[in-house]
Amino acid sequence: MPDLVATILGWVVPALVVFGVTAIAIAVLVWAVRRARRSPRARAAAEQARAHAGATLVRLDDEVAELELEVGLSGALYGGDAPASLRRARLAAQHTRDDAFEEYRAIGDPGVAPADVRRVAARIERRSTEALALVAAARSEHGTWVRQHVSAAAQVDAAQRRLAELRGAMGDPAALVADLSSRFAEDEWREASRSARAALSEAAEAGRHLDAAAARAGDPSLSALPDLAAGERALRQAESDARNLEETHRLVLQAAHAVPEEIAAARTALRQASVTREHLDPAEADRLGAELHAVEAELNRIETDAARHPTRTVEAIARLRGRLDLALGDARTAQQRLRGARTALPGTLAAARGALAQAEASVSRSRAGADARSRLLSAQRELASARQAQDPVAALDAARRAMRDAEDAKALADHARRSPTG
């Protein structure tokens, strides 16, 4: 029997040693591979791949904007809808762009493995390049058709009609700015003033280019296309700034009207939070009481100058309501959360709309990169979700996300505009 045990141990022990050493070697190898994949060098390579994909995505976004312009021009030239080929190309490119921006933002999270970043970046690069080729083919096909069937004079006439319509719709931009400046602080109407000046300047520039294009259109030896294209770009930017002026004016007046209600709703929420505090244990009650005191002090400070700064006040109250919700945590009942969301939603939606308008203006006038544009698209989606949601709590959460994304987009776009390479 001892000999049998010795024989078995003679076979088993070496085998266990071999298997143990092999298992340790495999574990060390797996660890080394994983570490290499997450090393600074791997992360740098992944970030480079993401940046390259982002640059291609920005090109696609710009091309989609150009295609949208061309679709609008086609509608004007044909007296109706744009050609089906252009509409299909635009929809396909928009869908690809929106999905790609969502993926691009997702791989910006530091927790994503470098290998996954490179894989998704390669997919973004491939799909964006395919979409760019689709857009280029559609525009080339359409350009050929236009040159064969539509005269340069007709194109110039269509652009001049749009310019005349824009000038008629703008009226006197200075009057809108004067209305705001007579009632509110400068930071409330500064963006409107900038948009008014830009819209007038761009409309004048568009007029000069279109006049030059009209003069060239009558001479077969000259090409009107360069001036026509320049006029269209100036006209498009003028339309964008005119919309921004009107939106800013509307948002400021709406905020001024809403300020008293928002302040009253915030004070009601504070009183309800105080009632909730009475049912908490002493430690939680003390913590919540300190936060309520801080929120009330901030609300009192905001209220002193609310009439002169309506949009800033509405935004600040929206943040205070979020801070209050965070402080209350799970202390409220479902009914209390629902009631609080209903009263906080109007002001938060207004704040999100204002933040989005500012972000759109910043992105449109800067060489914003993919990060700013992806956050802008996310803000637009979140705001749309907030408007469509039936549940006030879900709508409030979406509005707050839209507000944060819009603020991030504006900050990134402003940074790009201030940077030497921006």
Side-chain angles (χ1 to χ4, degrees), residues 305-321:
D305 203 21
R308 293 280 293 166
H309 297 88
T311 60
R312 190 176 73 181
T313 299
V314 169
E315 291 170 3
I317 292 175
R319 291 189 179 88
L320 284 180
R321 295 298 298 270

Side-chain angles (χ1 to χ4, degrees), residues 374-412:
S374 68
R375 281 169 173 77
L376 180 62
L377 282 174
S378 178
Q380 291 167 340
R381 285 195 301 269
E382 293 290 359
L383 185 56
S385 296
R387 286 170 169 163
Q388 295 167 5
Q390 300 299 316
D391 177 14
V393 176
L396 181 61
D397 289 342
R400 285 171 175 166
R401 290 193 297 269
M403 189 173 171
R404 289 193 297 270
D405 287 340
E407 289 169 346
D408 288 346
K410 183 179 185 303
L412 288 166

Side-chain angles (χ1 to χ4, degrees), residues 76-258:
L77 286 171
Y78 305 144
D81 292 335
S85 60
L86 278 185
R87 294 200 307 273
R88 286 194 298 269
R90 179 186 63 174
L91 290 174
Q94 284 176 333
H95 181 72
T96 298
R97 176 201 63 184
D98 293 350
D99 287 349
F101 268 126
E102 191 169 343
E103 290 187 315
Y104 176 85
R105 185 178 179 187
I107 59 175
D109 189 327
V112 180
D116 292 334
V117 172
R118 291 195 301 272
R119 176 177 54 79
V120 175
R123 182 167 66 235
I124 292 172
E125 181 80 23
R126 183 183 69 255
R127 294 188 63 199
S128 298
T129 301
E130 291 171 353
L132 282 168
L134 173 66
V135 170
R139 293 180 65 189
S140 176
E141 179 184 347
H142 179 245
T144 300
W145 191 96
V146 167
R147 285 190 295 272
Q148 293 174 351
H149 298 86
V150 182
S151 68
Q155 296 179 63
V156 173
D157 286 344
Q160 288 178 328
R161 286 196 301 272
R162 286 177 52 224
L163 178 58
E165 291 170 359
L166 171 64
R167 284 172 167 160
M170 280 198 306
D172 181 11
L176 296 181
V177 177
D179 178 43
L180 296 180
S181 63
S182 66
R183 301 165 57 186
F184 307 111
E186 183 182 354
D187 60 340
E188 294 287 322
W189 52 265
R190 187 185 299 120
E191 177 63 27
S193 178
R194 190 212 65 79
S195 296
R197 292 193 304 271
L200 290 173
S201 174
E202 289 149 0
E205 180 185 355
R208 290 192 296 272
H209 282 296
L210 294 179
D211 288 343
R216 288 172 170 266
D219 188 339
S221 65
L222 300 175
S223 173
L225 291 180
D227 278 310
L228 178 60
E232 283 294 344
R233 289 188 177 87
L235 177 55
R236 180 180 60 178
Q237 192 59 51
E239 289 170 336
S240 175
D241 280 308
R243 285 193 301 270
N244 188 51
L245 167 62
E246 294 176 357
E247 179 74 357
T248 302
H249 182 265
R250 183 178 64 83
L251 289 173
V252 172
L253 294 186
Q254 286 182 343
H257 179 74

